[in-house]
Amino acid sequence: MTAPSGSTPFPALSAPSLTLEPVSIAHAEEMHAVLADPSIYEFLSDEPPTLEWLRAAYARRAAGRSPDGAEQWFNWMLRRDDGRLIGYVQATIESRDRCWVGYVVSREGRGQGHATRAVAAMIEYLVRAHDVWRLLATVDAGNARSIALLDRLGFDLAPPHVKELAELGPDERLYQLELVSG
């Protein structure tokens, strides 16, 4: 089932075998089931959200901006060609040189390149449409799958002066993809 797109501040995207759908409240119930997968939280401090929390969060995120307007928010649900949602990708643009990216893929969607293709499609859009040149991602040092994804996309460990942009926990690492020198 494809959620109605309505009027969103960012477009649907596509990647081989995936559609990246702009988040909407209509995704909440289906994603609630996806986010119940305990394997998602192996390297996250979060717990599975309630359906009510997810509906409220998706309503905020669908606006495409933080409430104060300082940040642009991009959230896409990942739908396989067979119609199943398997996760999401997201980005927060604070400035052209500070664009945070994140991604979550369910156990059933892992190991097939979905996350790599989805994050690559998101990055291509952000660079083309929003002229970002530095992308940042935090990752648990033990999350080999996520580190491998970032490596495949050309991210490197951030240098010390860039690490100051994030408050990192003892097991977190900051990665960056710098596309031009600003």
Side-chain angles (χ1 to χ4, degrees):
M1 174 183 129
T2 300
S5 60
S7 175
T8 63
F10 49 96
L13 303 174
S14 63
S17 74
L18 291 172
T19 300
L20 285 67
E21 300 174 359
V23 67
S24 73
I25 295 172
H27 288 110
E29 192 166 331
E30 192 175 1
M31 277 302 294
H32 184 256
V34 172
L35 295 174
D37 174 2
S39 74
I40 288 173
Y41 305 94
E42 181 179 359
F43 298 104
L44 300 175
S45 59
D46 301 337
E47 295 181 9
T50 65
L51 182 55
E52 295 74 26
W53 184 91
L54 209 52
R55 284 183 178 131
Y58 286 1
R60 286 188 306 275
R61 294 173 188 172
R65 290 200 167 275
S66 60
D68 65 4
E71 300 172 345
Q72 290 179 277
W73 293 345
F74 302 89
N75 293 264
W76 288 276
M77 303 294 109
L78 306 181
R79 190 173 302 278
R80 291 190 315 202
D81 286 346
D82 68 5
R84 292 184 53 93
L85 284 185
I86 57 165
Y88 62 84
V89 294
Q90 62 187 30
T92 299
I93 298 176
E94 295 176 1
S95 63
R96 289 181 52 236
D97 68 338
R98 195 180 302 184
C99 177
W100 298 91
V101 299
Y103 40 88
V104 167
V105 174
S106 66
R107 182 186 315 264
E108 80 172 88
R110 292 183 202 139
Q112 302 162 54
H114 294 312
T116 301
R117 291 189 304 276
V119 174
M122 175 178 66
I123 289 171
E124 188 278 327
Y125 166 78
L126 294 168
V127 170
R128 177 179 40 81
H130 298 279
D131 202 26
V132 299
W133 60 267
R134 180 186 293 135
L135 298 115
L136 302 162
T138 59
V139 64
D140 186 287
N143 190 342
R145 286 187 310 263
S146 188
I147 291 169
L149 180 150
L150 294 172
D151 286 343
R152 281 190 298 276
L153 294 173
F155 282 75
D156 295 305
L157 278 170
H161 73 280
V162 175
K163 286 183 187 174
E164 296 172 4
L165 299 175
E167 291 183 31
L168 299 173
D171 295 328
E172 288 183 303
R173 304 293 177 262
L174 179 64
Y175 283 78
Q176 75 170 3
L177 174 60
E178 195 170 275
L179 301 170
V180 298
S181 58

